Structures are given as C-alpha cells and as structure tokens.
Amino acid sequence: MKKLTALLVLAGLTQVAVAAEVVGNAQNAKAKIEMCIGCHGIPGYKATFPEVFQVPMIGGQSAKYIESALQAYKKGDRKHPSMKGIASSLSDQDIADVAAFYSQQTRTADPK
C-alpha cells in the first residue's frame, strides 16, 4: 500500500511539473536573437523567400503573441519555410525568452 501511495504522489508531482508554465527571460534571449535580427530588426525590410513580402517588426508585440506564432511555425500550423526552420530549432524556453525580449522592445528599436 505504501508503494502505491508513493507512486500516486510521484505521479501527481509529475503532472504539476509538466503543467508548469515556461517563463521567458529577456536577458537570456540576447544570445538567441541573432537569427531574428537579420529580418525583423530592419525597418521596411522585405524578404524574397519563398516570395516577396513585408517582414513584420516584432518589437513591442505581446510576448504571448510571439510565443503563439513561433509555436505555430514550429508545429507547421503557420506556413513559412524559413520561420519553420528557425522555430523548430528553438526549445519552449528559447521561444519564451525570445518572446520576452521582443515584447520589451519598441517597434523600431535596434535589438542590443
């Protein structure tokens, strides 16, 4: 009976740990945003792959929106080959950190 109780307690703790929300850290993102700056850090930039389009400035967007967008690219729910490749290389913590960083920027800020 003790083993069963211990197992149930352990299972409950595991569920709590899995349900814990990842919290972004803007300071940790500074080493992770190099791949973002090339497109999202240039006012008026237009990308040419896979087609010509205006690249959105993500500075000042809400962290939840950025996280949601990156998760959607990662899962394939949003279709853009470059963004899927980038998002797929990020962990959930990386995504939260990048989102926290850009949410603290202004639309025209130079990420530093």
Side-chain angles (χ1 to χ4, degrees), residues 72-94:
Y73 283 120
K74 188 174 185 174
K75 292 176 189 170
D77 294 340
R78 282 191 174 200
K79 310 290 184 212
H80 189 279
S82 297
M83 286 301 303
K84 178 165 178 50
I86 290 168
S88 295
S89 74
L90 299 172
S91 69
D92 289 346
Q93 184 64 58
D94 293 338

Side-chain angles (χ1 to χ4, degrees), residues 7 19 36-37 43 48 61 67 77 84-85 105 110:
L7 183 61
C36 308
I37 295 170
T48 58
Q61 287 281 6
E67 283 185 58
D77 294 340
K84 178 165 178 50
Q105 305 301 304
D110 179 22

Side-chain angles (χ1 to χ4, degrees), residues 4-60:
L4 179 60
T5 303
L7 183 61
L8 290 173
V9 169
L10 182 58
L13 290 174
T14 302
Q15 291 297 333
V16 170
V18 169
E21 187 174 327
V22 177
V23 177
N25 182 323
Q27 290 299 323
N28 290 346
K30 291 185 178 185
K32 303 171 186 178
I33 61 167
E34 291 88 3
M35 60 189 143
C36 308
I37 295 170
C39 297
H40 294 286
I42 304 170
Y45 181 71
K46 292 182 180 171
T48 58
F49 181 80
E51 58 190 50
V52 177
F53 65 96
Q54 184 77 30
V55 176
M57 297 298 292
I58 57 176

